[in-house]
Amino acid sequence: MFVDYIFAIYNFETIEGKAPTRKGAKVHEESVKAFFFFVFLCILESWWLTKKIDMPLSRIFLILFFFANAFFAQAQTPTTLQNIYGRTSISLNGRWNYIIDPYETGFYDYRRQPFDQSASGKGGYYDDRKQADKSELIEYDFDLSPTMKIPGDWNSQAEKLQLYEGTVWLRRKFVAAPKDGKKYFLYFGAVNYEAHVYFNGKKLGTHKGGFTPFQFEVTGQVKQGDNVVVVKADNIRHADEIPTVNTDWWNYGGITRDVLLAELPATYIADYKIQLSGSALRIEGYVQLSGAAKQTVTVQIPTAGLTKKFITDSTGRALISLPVKKLAYWSPEHPELYKVIINSETDSISDRIGFRTIETKGQEILLNGKPVFLRGISMHDENPLIPGRLRGEADMRMMLQWAKELGCNYVRLAHYPHNEQMIKLADEMGLLVWAEVPVYWTISWQNPATYANAQQQLTDLITRDKNRASVIVWSVGNETPISEPRNIFMGKLVSHARLLDDTRLVAAALEVHRKDNVIVIEDPLGEQLDLVSFNEYAGWYFSDTKGMLDYRFDVKFNKPVIITEFGADALGGFHADDATRWSEEFQDLLYRNQFKMLSAIPGLRGMTPWILVDFRSPRRPHPVYQDFWNRKGLISETGKKKKAFFTLKNYYDSVGMRYK
Ligand code: GCB
């Protein structure tokens, strides 16, 4: 029954397709792993029963958890191309036909068996069939179905989809002219949450995780002329997924980011990292070719007068090291980006990369060796004006421009990876970035598949954005409740982030608790992090604008303190006295009082109040003040700045002067 217990919490379905699949192979590999894991559990159970091991079940369980993590983590390899926007590609954005399928009729037969697992593999909506003669029965028709704009969440594009959680099928036809000797990849910037992808009637694979990119190789499958992509997107929330069922944001479903068909040479530059080393004396990193080819690779930074050749090893990898003489370092004040060109014998790619260092020393954060105060703001990937996920560069620029107007040099892109283009814009506009994965609130800490999923999302985020100067912090999660399994889970994510990238800070929004009038920060996870970050809602979720000033902070770590959240809801345009909840005056006074409270923390080096603009949330039903909007924005859903916007701006202006 021990095995039964383990199985009850271990949802095997989540293993299938966890990672993006190349030609569907990974799904199979995972099933084989799951089988061996099962056999291992059976052996362990009989050993435990017969030998009567003198060890509590919880201890055995933890050992098992470690084992399973190591076992499944092996399948986690970076799977997307570096710098997709630097590649030759066809955009598959545009209008896609869609079919809403709440019962998954296009996926399962009437005995609930998946069509794509049947002997013929046929029968699902991905067949994209048309009636051959007038007597034929076909109960769907993509051509006659409505269309929606991709990239774009479905909730904001059709009234009946606003609150929808379930399956929607999306289809796009396109014309291609594949060339001999080239490789082709079908690339998705993000699909929320689970995607099953079919190309010309054949299943390519599945992917889970709503905010990270994935791709499938389709070399040899792209036809001259007409091609068709069908995606089954499913945004149902599950307790064992990342994020879990409970969040405070809208669960926007669908293909929310770009879809591209990329064309590459037979041996291509699959990945590279080109970053300034911690000492600022060298530019370091690697170039990774797609195959185990030995080639000469040249890295050029023309305006810095740097060129150097490297030879890849038998795995196709070359370690890069370029001594630096004179460089204009990237900073929010001078967001200098250098053109970097990488040539291999068979491929070439260029990027715009900024070079800067970031480190902590005691309670200081040093950017290019100089103390910096992070004047930040939190934001979601959502446009308040035309509600829905940010749909393109103009939306993203609007958000970052608002942050600039507020006097920010820093943004927290909460609570999940935002669009790759957003980070590129932050590079260009000069905003430091806190990047986060959706390990939020109550995750299934003891489920190995859940951990593997979280680790994969973190890997994909770091893989994608590791060349962006703006990103200075990888955050492994937000407000997760302390327990031993959680500490282990989060601790492993911290180590994983450091393993993948040692040029940035690692952080998380820690747990806090109150003892009388003291807000205590002693979450054990803090030991492993570079920053002390936490959310505190004095004046809103506890106390009020008067009583909050009686509270003080007790931070148990000698590290820079970056407050990840504080705030209050205010309905834009609602004015009253400053003791009245939901009024702009209440929110404004709360901000003023927060500055008083926070400036008493000796290590305070920055903050990202919650939040730049009002955002949609199903957790916020108050009919007058909320109407499914979290109103903690400094800007209303109509784009109007609230009083507290100007108060925070004044505060940042004065802090900015001190850190000049
Ligand atoms: C938090 C969460 C954030 C919520 C916010 C709130 O602590 O991190 O996602 O939206 O509080 O408004 O309650």
Side-chain angles (χ1 to χ4, degrees):
M1 86 278 159
F2 173 51
V3 165
D4 295 340
Y5 170 64
I6 301 279
F7 264 72
I9 62 143
Y10 193 85
N11 174 2
F12 266 80
E13 260 179 31
T14 61
I15 301 172
E16 193 246 347
K18 158 184 60 28
T21 60
R22 284 233 171 123
K23 297 178 181 160
K26 201 133 225 166
V27 173
H28 177 67
E29 189 186 314
E30 296 294 357
S31 313
V32 172
K33 282 193 169 207
F35 173 73
F36 281 115
F37 186 58
F38 171 77
V39 172
F40 169 76
L41 289 177
C42 293
I43 296 168
L44 193 77
E45 182 189 35
S46 52
W47 187 52
W48 190 67
L49 289 175
T50 51
K51 297 242 166 154
K52 290 265 171 280
I53 308 163
D54 189 18
M55 199 190 278
L57 199 61
S58 62
R59 182 87 45 83
I60 293 179
F61 188 76
L62 272 179
I63 293 169
L64 194 63
F65 178 65
F66 267 124
F67 173 82
N69 278 338
F71 194 69
F72 284 101
Q74 286 167 15
Q76 314 296 313
T77 46
T79 40
T80 46
L81 283 162
Q82 184 59 215
N83 188 9
I84 185 71
Y85 296 104
R87 292 295 179 183
T88 303
S89 63
I90 301 178
S91 168
L92 301 183
N93 294 344
R95 299 215 69 95
W96 290 47
N97 292 89
Y98 69 92
I99 298 171
I100 305 171
D101 187 13
Y103 284 17
E104 298 177 289
T105 312
F107 188 73
Y108 293 110
D109 67 17
Y110 81 124
R111 296 295 183 229
R112 199 85 186 150
Q113 299 302 313
F115 289 115
D116 65 22
Q117 302 299 306
S118 69
S120 71
K122 299 217 166 297
Y125 291 177
Y126 52 85
D127 290 342
D128 189 20
R129 287 180 57 197
K130 293 295 290 176
Q131 213 182 17
D133 61 65
K134 65 182 180 187
S135 67
E136 192 179 18
L137 172 67
I138 300 173
E139 289 187 88
Y140 67 94
D141 190 321
F142 275 109
D143 289 335
L144 299 177
S145 296
T147 62
M148 70 168 78
K149 198 173 162 288
I150 300 300
D153 61 273
W154 62 54
N155 312 69
S156 54
Q157 299 196 53
E159 215 181 319
K160 60 174 135 167
L161 288 172
Q162 196 192 27
L163 278 159
Y164 182 72
E165 296 188 306
T167 283
V168 173
W169 293 86
L170 297 121
R171 188 209 64 177
R172 170 79 150 89
K173 285 183 165 171
F174 67 97
V175 173
K179 299 181 192 123
D180 284 346
K182 297 284 185 193
K183 290 205 163 160
Y184 292 89
F185 292 89
L186 187 58
Y187 179 97
F188 294 84
V191 177
N192 191 34
Y193 173 81
E194 181 173 325
H196 292 244
V197 180
Y198 305 84
F199 186 56
N200 292 331
K202 265 189 61 190
K203 186 164 194 173
L204 294 176
T206 64
H207 178 262
K208 283 185 180 185
F211 305 97
T212 39
F214 57 98
Q215 70 188 29
F216 302 97
E217 184 169 353
V218 289
T219 312
Q221 296 178 60
V222 186
K223 293 194 285 196
Q224 292 287 344
D226 293 338
N227 290 271
V228 57
V229 188
V230 175
V231 176
K232 174 189 187 289
D234 178 355
N235 70 337
I236 289 188
R237 292 165 294 125
H238 297 281
D240 285 338
E241 297 296 324
I242 303 287
T244 181
V245 282
N246 203 14
T247 71
D248 187 24
W249 66 80
W250 209 264
N251 181 23
Y252 288 113
I255 306 175
T256 54
R257 296 188 188 152
D258 292 334
V259 187
L260 301 163
L261 180 73
E263 180 185 275
L264 288 116
T267 302
Y268 55 91
I269 297 163
D271 192 16
Y272 57 85
K273 183 177 182 186
I274 310 277
Q275 290 282 282
L276 199 59
S277 73
S279 68
L281 297 174
R282 309 188 77 77
I283 287 173
E284 291 182 337
Y286 61 85
V287 173
Q288 176 70 57
L289 302 180
S290 59
K294 261 204 165 207
Q295 288 197 6
T296 302
V297 167
T298 313
V299 177
Q300 274 176 278
I301 311 178
T303 51
L306 294 171
T307 300
K308 206 170 165 186
K309 287 190 185 333
F310 303 89
I311 309 284
T312 55
D313 64 17
S314 56
T315 67
R317 197 178 184 87
L319 293 180
I320 303 302
S321 179
L322 295 160
V324 169
K325 284 193 204 89
K326 204 166 167 280
L327 266 188
Y329 295 120
W330 185 98
S331 70
E333 295 74 30
H334 302 287
E336 184 80 30
L337 298 175
Y338 284 90
K339 183 166 187 177
V340 177
I341 305 162
I342 305 170
N343 286 308
S344 73
E345 290 167 27
T346 48
D347 195 13
S348 174
I349 186 147
S350 82
D351 204 342
R352 292 172 71 219
I353 299 181
F355 299 104
R356 53 104 197 91
T357 59
I358 190 79
E359 64 198 304
T360 63
K361 206 173 198 179
Q363 294 190 323
E364 293 298 344
I365 299 176
L366 304 177
L367 176 68
N368 299 322
K370 265 184 60 191
V372 64
F373 189 94
L374 302 178
R375 307 185 310 267
I377 192 72
S378 298
M379 58 177 79
H380 267 295
D381 177 359
E382 187 185 65
N383 184 344
L385 304 180
I386 309 164
R389 292 269 175 240
L390 301 175
R391 295 150 308 153
E393 195 190 316
D395 286 13
M396 293 174 211
R397 224 173 247 286
M398 174 183 80
M399 298 290 280
L400 295 183
Q401 192 54 43
W402 274 334
K404 284 249 152 192
E405 279 176 44
L406 193 55
C408 292
N409 60 1
Y410 172 61
V411 290
R412 176 184 183 213
L413 302 183
H415 280 298
Y416 39 75
H418 287 219
N419 200 309
E420 181 171 354
Q421 305 277 28
M422 186 78 166
I423 324 291
K424 288 196 165 183
L425 265 183
D427 262 16
E428 187 191 307
M429 292 171 71
L431 283 159
L432 297 159
V433 168
W434 160 298
E436 190 161 302
V437 285
V439 177
Y440 181 97
W441 292 353
T442 54
I443 296 295
S444 295
W445 306 116
Q446 312 207 43
N447 184 335
T450 306
Y451 177 78
N453 184 348
Q455 185 176 290
Q456 185 66 51
Q457 293 193 37
L458 182 63
T459 304
D460 292 342
L461 167 67
I462 296 176
T463 302
R464 194 192 70 177
D465 295 337
K466 62 181 175 290
N467 289 311
R468 304 282 70 89
S470 53
V471 179
I472 53 165
V473 183
W474 302 123
S475 165
V476 296
N478 178 72
E479 262 183 7
T480 53
I482 299 170
S483 71
E484 207 184 337
R486 170 275 199 176
N487 297 347
I488 292 170
F489 187 113
M490 297 300 279
K492 277 168 59 74
L493 285 183
V494 174
S495 311
H496 188 68
R498 293 197 193 284
L499 187 76
L500 295 182
D501 183 24
D502 60 1
T503 68
R504 288 175 177 82
L505 310 178
V506 179
L510 297 171
E511 273 287 269
V512 293
H513 64 93
R514 269 173 290 136
K515 203 164 173 257
D516 305 323
N517 275 10
V518 182
I519 303 165
V520 187
I521 298 92
E522 58 185 355
D523 181 339
L525 183 62
E527 300 287 350
Q528 298 176 57
L529 301 173
D530 296 311
L531 305 173
V532 186
S533 290
F534 55 92
N535 306 339
E536 57 87 9
Y537 280 92
W540 187 253
Y541 290 125
F542 64 92
S543 188
D544 55 25
T545 44
K546 272 201 193 71
M548 64 189 283
L549 288 173
D550 296 337
Y551 285 83
R552 64 180 185 82
F553 295 95
D554 181 8
V555 178
K556 303 281 192 196
F557 306 97
N558 180 35
K559 297 179 182 183
V561 176
I562 305 294
I563 310 295
T564 24
E565 289 177 32
F566 66 81
D569 284 56
L571 179 63
F574 173 49
H575 296 283
D577 64 81
D578 57 25
T580 304
R581 292 254 170 191
W582 312 106
S583 71
E584 286 198 28
E585 286 68 19
F586 186 103
Q587 186 190 44
D588 189 49
L589 180 59
L590 184 138
Y591 268 68
R592 289 172 198 275
N593 287 349
Q594 280 284 350
F595 302 147
K596 288 185 193 154
M597 290 171 71
L598 295 176
S599 48
I601 302 176
L604 184 75
R605 291 297 179 273
M607 60 184 74
T608 46
W610 193 253
I611 183 171
L612 182 65
V613 284
D614 291 354
F615 61 97
R616 275 172 164 182
S617 169
R619 287 172 64 85
R620 309 293 173 178
H622 192 287
V624 175
Y625 300 114
Q626 295 177 311
D627 190 22
F628 281 153
W629 287 86
N630 182 315
R631 299 286 186 194
K632 293 190 187 70
L634 294 173
I635 299 178
S636 76
E637 96 273 20
T638 60
K640 200 167 164 293
K641 291 168 181 129
K642 304 179 194 172
K643 274 180 89 114
F645 180 98
F646 301 99
T647 299
L648 180 60
K649 181 176 165 39
N650 286 341
Y651 174 76
Y652 279 163
D653 287 348
S654 65
V655 181
M657 296 303 279
R658 276 192 272 135
Y659 275 80
K660 263 222 162 10

